[in-house]
Amino acid sequence: MTTTPQPATVYGRPVTTEGVPNLYEGTSVTQWVPPIPGIDNLGISSIDTFAVPGVGEYTVPFDGFVRVVRSEPTSKEWVNAEVYTNLIEMKMVGESEELGRITVTLNPECLSTGQIRTPFDPYAGEGPSAKACRMAVGAIFDMPKLGMKLINKEPIILTIDDVRSIPPAGSPGKGQIYRMLPLHDSRHLEDSPVAYVTSLRFTMGGYITAEKIAAV
Amino acid sequence: MTTTPQPATVYGRPVTTEGVPNLYEGTSVTQWVPPIPGIDNLGISSIDTFAVPGVGEYTVPFDGFVRVVRSEPTSKEWVNAEVYTNLIEMKMVGESEELGRITVTLNPECLSTGQIRTPFDPYAGEGPSAKACRMAVGAIFDMPKLGMKLINKEPIILTIDDVRSIPPAGSPGKGQIYRMLPLHDSRHLEDSPVAYVTSLRFTMGGYITAEKIAAV
């Protein structure tokens, strides 16, 4: 019984937030143990590169928070456990001389979903039983200086490798963008893209306080 | 004025098919020249690897066709031209001892869209002014032996590099899958994925006849 409108596009498995506790700064994280469900309130930073055809390419650092709800793990054993996630809130703010202030939030038309599981192709250098984390995200990049909100109509795939704890706080991650990810003007979604994300690297932060979230 | 139902999820820019001619075997392709709009009827082959958790990993060769409508190029000069595409029909058939016969078609809930443009990051080894081709695809993998139709809820991103003609007939391409792309049982789309695509390599074929398309 949710009161929020159903998003038109659902990238994976929905996860309920009902009865799931919010977890803030001070929550302990244990390696190699699948945790019980929670809503992780985490810091995040990101460095995104935007290409605007005929204008230029701009690299912008962002800082902010995410709120991620996690499902019951499918197993109590780390190696067998799958955990499903939904990104329920995000706000990141960046500033660039050319593009001005940019605020990134979730696109309410999409349910941004993810999962953590043992990969089928373990990498050399990953810890034993390390897991892979992935999330498909629909975002809005609000750029008031340009008078535009930019929207991705293909999800941005955010990945973290070598995951040894849930949440993978402190881990570096990547947006799996192959050459370019199109961004559309929110007022003209059926038109050609007006810009592209060409690179996205991020770092998952640790648990933060409700005050820090409110201050972003 | 289209009579087909509107797909719920649109991955990019829609392209009209109205008044656009079908192009079959015998159509000539010129390098470095943006062509006028057309519906390309092309052969395609693909080698996909599926991982079924707890069961195994299966590599299956596919063969079939695609029908792609192309937009008016945004410029008559190759280097400046952007061309938008929609995948309007696809059928590929593969066979595997374990998975049985697999038929891949488009998911009508999604508009599978793509584009061809000059990349922001030219590769060493690509031809001068070579373009990059990308398409976001929603598919149905019908596996009657398993009694299941599998659906991707994140688009499969198909890419072709070093594009010197449109269509890029004969070019090898890749599905840009990072470790795993979740597949859901069509009857239980809100549940956890039941399988994954872990690798996808394809080769774009040339123009084919209507008879060959009918025979797939």
Side-chain angles (χ1 to χ4, degrees), chain A residues 4 24 48 65 102 114 126 128 137 140 147 180 207:
Chain A
T4 47
Y24 293 104
D48 302 5
F65 72 88
I102 305 174
E126 284 186 321
V137 178
I140 300 175
M180 62 186 100
Y207 283 112

Side-chain angles (χ1 to χ4, degrees), chain B residues 143-144 146-151 184-191 194:
Chain B
M143 302 190 182
L146 307 191
M148 274 200 286
K149 291 180 182 176
L150 300 182
I151 284 180
H184 295 259
D185 182 333
S186 64
R187 292 161 304 185
H188 308 288
L189 279 176
E190 305 271 279
D191 286 359
V194 292

Side-chain angles (χ1 to χ4, degrees), chain B residues 19-104:
Chain B
V20 181
N22 266 285
L23 304 174
Y24 293 103
E25 195 173 295
T27 305
S28 65
V29 177
T30 312
Q31 283 203 336
W32 316 120
V33 175
I36 60 166
I39 296 173
D40 294 330
N41 293 272
L42 303 166
I44 187 170
S45 63
S46 178
I47 298 175
D48 301 6
T49 302
F50 302 92
V52 185
V55 181
E57 213 162 345
Y58 308 99
T59 296
V60 185
F62 289 90
D63 212 29
F65 72 86
V66 288
R67 299 182 62 229
V68 180
V69 60
R70 283 183 280 101
S71 73
E72 186 76 44
T74 58
S75 167
K76 285 184 175 166
E77 285 170 66
W78 172 264
V79 69
N80 296 320
E82 291 165 28
V83 172
Y84 293 88
T85 59
N86 289 177
L87 188 51
I88 56 173
E89 197 179 346
M90 170 172 66
K91 187 177 178 190
M92 301 179 63
V93 180
E95 189 106 32
S96 139
E97 201 186 312
E98 300 88 352
L99 303 177
R101 187 184 173 88
I102 305 174
T103 304
V104 189

Side-chain angles (χ1 to χ4, degrees), chain B residues 133-192:
Chain B
C133 177
R134 65 197 311 287
M135 183 161 268
V137 178
I140 300 175
F141 300 82
D142 189 9
M143 302 190 182
K145 184 177 171 181
L146 307 191
M148 274 200 286
K149 291 180 182 176
L150 300 182
I151 284 180
N152 60 299
K153 294 171 75 177
E154 299 170 16
I156 304 168
I157 307 297
L158 300 181
T159 64
I160 301 176
D161 291 324
D162 198 9
V163 171
R164 298 164 184 225
S165 66
I166 299 172
S171 293
K174 265 201 77 180
Q176 296 299 330
I177 292 163
Y178 188 73
R179 309 198 89 166
M180 60 188 102
L181 181 98
L183 297 177
H184 295 259
D185 182 333
S186 64
R187 292 161 304 185
H188 308 288
L189 279 176
E190 305 271 279
D191 286 359
S192 300

